[in-house]
Amino acid sequence: NYRNGHTIPAEGLYPHQWLWDSCFIAIGLAHYDIERAKMEILNLLKGQWSNGMVPHMIFDPALKYRQDRELWRSYTSPYSPDGIATSGITQPPLIAEAVVQIGKKLSKEDRRAWYAKTYPHLVKYHKWLYRDRDPKNEGLVLLVHPWESGLDSSPPWMFDLEQNHMALWIRAVKWLKLDGLVNKLRRDTHFVPPGQRLSTTDALLVFHVLRKLRHKGYSHQRIMKSKLPKVEDAGFNAIFIRANSHLKHMAKTLGLDLPQSLAADIKHTEEVYNDLWDEAASQYFSFNINTGEKILIPSIATFLALYSGKISKDHAAKLVEHLNNHQTYAAKFPVPSVPQNSTWFAAHRYWQGPTWINTNWLIADGLDRYDYKEEAAKIRESSLQLVERSGFYEYFSPNDGSPAGAKNFSWTAALTIDFLNRK
Ligand code: GLC
């Protein structure tokens, strides 16, 4: 899947560069081709906007992808880079993780040089997340599109879109049963059976929000004043907390102090993440700023809290109980992206049931940090089994391990390499 300077997630369905994909890919590459791992990250940083945002996609410049680029029109923002077409939103901030994993493979001197090169970009990115995505200084950053969460069609997000962002024209398509027609225009269902992707209504909702963001020129002031989605996402903030810890480590290695305001913001996030905990359900939920309520729909995002490394031991133990519960997450091939007893659960549908290798990687990493070594090893082992049986698929049924989504999916391959190297 190598292209010019970066790796695409999969041929056909995903022909561009994606933010968190490239981070997982670099983590795998670091085990055997350090220069390519570095290149993967540096190429990603070429797409960074002047306001600090790292976009979730960088487009292939080929003529045949003009339509993809035009969907976003990143050039409408004064902050987008010259000559590089990108999306206008971000994705889970895993770059610091990838940078540090690469750093581990380098000599002391090379590590310093590698950090020195990437650190300024990361400081700028994390500052942007605080400035534009936490304008009221509440400590948690908010997302404006489900794709920013990385778990694109996760039930809490689809619920918000269906409840609060259903445009009249989408209702009309539903009433008039024009789904079939719309499906013809969808790219994803050309490559993957429709039952493994979003419903047409959900797909339209997702594109509707994208269009609105584009109409606002991706301007944070305009977005904040609008009714567009605003969610303090439990998964994204957990990954951000971990990324901040990595950033602190990089600063220390370089003998630098983090900018004071950034250091204060980082501390604040670690303190308030706990507000996303729901005592009754004993798990973390995302918070919807627009409605002022938590979105009380269970999803795998809750377990990413373990990866943050900053939750209490008590909460970690409660999350492990969920992982061990056969009604919910203890599937034959864990960890399902939604609990098996959820009304949303569908074994093969994109983030609404399947097991993904990247979330397994993050959860296993978190479990290790809280000393649940056995549980972590089990998840890694089962991930390897999935791949051994079927190949590097995008996702798998937690019930019987059958594969789904794109074939030859890059992060599945890259993280397999990482798992094997830990054995
Ligand atoms: C899907 C996933 C997203 C990923 C992208 C490219 O949209 O939901 O997390 O980044 O594919 O692989």
Side-chain angles (χ1 to χ4, degrees):
N1 292 339
Y2 181 72
R3 295 295 182 271
N4 195 16
H6 69 278
T7 311
I8 60 166
E11 184 94 46
L13 186 56
Y14 305 118
H16 309 291
Q17 184 175 19
W18 265 262
L19 191 164
W20 78 330
D21 295 68
S22 279
C23 298
F24 290 122
I25 291 163
I27 289 169
L29 284 172
H31 290 288
Y32 70 97
D33 189 344
I34 200 78
E35 289 314 314
R36 214 184 118 187
K38 285 185 187 169
M39 198 199 309
E40 191 72 33
I41 297 302
L42 294 177
N43 209 65
L44 190 63
L45 293 175
K46 277 191 202 154
Q48 184 167 31
W49 288 24
S50 63
N51 60 0
M53 183 185 77
V54 181
H56 99 296
M57 288 172 79
I58 301 176
F59 291 103
D60 184 314
L63 198 62
K64 66 175 173 180
Y65 297 120
R66 190 170 172 272
Q67 240 186 341
D68 296 12
R69 298 189 291 270
E70 275 304 289
L71 191 63
W72 288 94
R73 291 177 216 157
S74 54
Y75 54 78
T76 57
S77 167
Y79 303 118
S80 67
D82 290 337
I84 299 179
T86 75
S87 71
I89 56 172
T90 192
Q91 230 184 3
L94 263 164
I95 311 174
E97 175 77 76
V99 165
V100 168
Q101 295 290 341
I102 293 171
K104 280 187 190 163
K105 301 275 175 191
L106 300 170
S107 69
K108 209 168 165 193
E109 199 182 324
D110 287 351
R111 179 159 56 246
R112 279 180 68 105
W114 169 238
Y115 285 179
K117 200 170 200 168
T118 46
Y119 178 79
H121 290 278
L122 285 172
V123 168
K124 210 170 153 188
Y125 179 37
H126 288 214
K127 273 183 160 177
W128 170 79
L129 280 165
Y130 280 116
R131 196 178 58 243
D132 277 21
R133 296 309 185 81
D134 182 21
K136 292 197 187 144
N137 204 9
E138 287 164 322
L140 296 173
V141 300
L142 60 88
L143 307 185
V144 298
H145 193 287
W147 289 346
E148 294 199 302
S149 75
L151 319 181
D152 296 22
S153 58
S154 189
W157 271 100
M158 288 305 117
F159 175 80
D160 178 37
L161 261 50
E162 287 170 11
Q163 293 294 307
N164 305 313
H165 303 280
M166 183 68 83
L168 262 179
W169 69 271
I170 301 179
R171 278 185 215 278
V173 169
K174 222 174 147 182
W175 285 329
L176 300 171
K177 298 205 175 1
L178 296 175
D179 308 36
L181 191 72
V182 172
N183 251 335
K184 289 213 172 80
L185 304 172
R186 281 175 73 174
R187 166 202 277 207
D188 58 345
T189 47
H190 280 258
F191 293 101
V192 173
Q196 298 180 11
R197 301 292 292 188
L198 285 177
S199 70
T200 300
T201 308
D202 284 354
L204 290 176
L205 280 164
V206 163
F207 281 97
H208 171 65
V209 174
L210 187 171
R211 231 182 84 242
K212 291 217 146 176
L213 288 167
R214 188 183 73 211
H215 288 170
K216 305 233 171 287
Y218 310 108
S219 144
H220 118 90
Q221 283 90 349
R222 292 179 65 197
I223 293 169
M224 287 307 141
K225 278 194 220 132
S226 76
K227 293 202 176 81
L228 277 159
K230 287 176 211 83
V231 173
E232 290 173 350
D233 186 90
F236 189 101
N237 278 282
I239 292 174
F240 189 35
I241 289 174
R242 183 84 192 120
N244 282 331
S245 302
H246 285 313
L247 199 59
K248 277 196 242 172
H249 154 79
M250 289 171 70
K252 206 166 151 208
T253 308
L254 292 170
L256 298 171
D257 286 323
L258 279 181
Q260 236 175 22
S261 65
L262 182 59
D265 284 337
I266 288 175
K267 196 158 162 269
H268 191 194
T269 307
E270 289 172 9
E271 287 159 5
V272 298
Y273 185 79
N274 196 44
D275 293 351
L276 299 178
W277 180 259
D278 186 81
E279 197 52 48
S282 112
Q283 59 194 289
Y284 295 93
F285 290 118
S286 298
F287 182 81
N288 189 337
I289 303 254
N290 289 338
T291 62
E293 286 169 358
K294 287 197 184 103
I295 310 175
L296 300 173
I297 300 179
S299 80
I300 199 164
T302 192
F303 298 116
L304 301 187
L306 291 162
Y307 171 75
S308 80
K310 298 286 179 188
I311 59 170
S312 67
K313 282 195 179 135
D314 177 46
H315 285 180
K318 291 198 165 131
L319 292 178
V320 172
E321 276 175 33
H322 288 291
L323 282 174
N324 289 334
N325 181 339
H326 288 278
Q327 305 277 308
T328 54
Y329 291 101
K332 190 159 175 222
F333 295 96
V335 179
S337 37
V338 306
Q340 298 166 102
N341 61 357
S342 160
T343 52
W344 289 82
F345 182 86
H348 280 145
R349 197 188 280 277
Y350 200 48
W351 296 116
Q352 297 186 1
T355 293
W356 293 67
I357 301 301
N358 69 326
T359 39
N360 276 3
W361 189 91
L362 293 166
I363 295 169
D365 185 280
L367 285 168
D368 263 344
R369 197 142 336 101
Y370 285 89
D371 233 16
Y372 290 97
K373 304 270 183 220
E374 224 172 275
E375 283 79 355
K378 252 165 97 181
I379 290 179
R380 291 194 183 105
E381 202 48 55
S382 146
S383 307
L384 288 173
Q385 262 180 39
L386 286 171
V387 170
E388 198 166 12
R389 288 162 51 131
S390 308
F392 303 118
Y393 271 82
E394 191 181 2
Y395 41 91
F396 303 85
S397 157
N399 300 336
D400 62 8
S402 51
K407 265 198 274 191
N408 298 327
F409 191 67
S410 294
W411 82 38
T412 303
L415 296 177
T416 297
I417 292 166
D418 191 67
F419 287 154
L420 288 170
N421 274 279
R422 282 164 192 249
K423 283 183 92 169

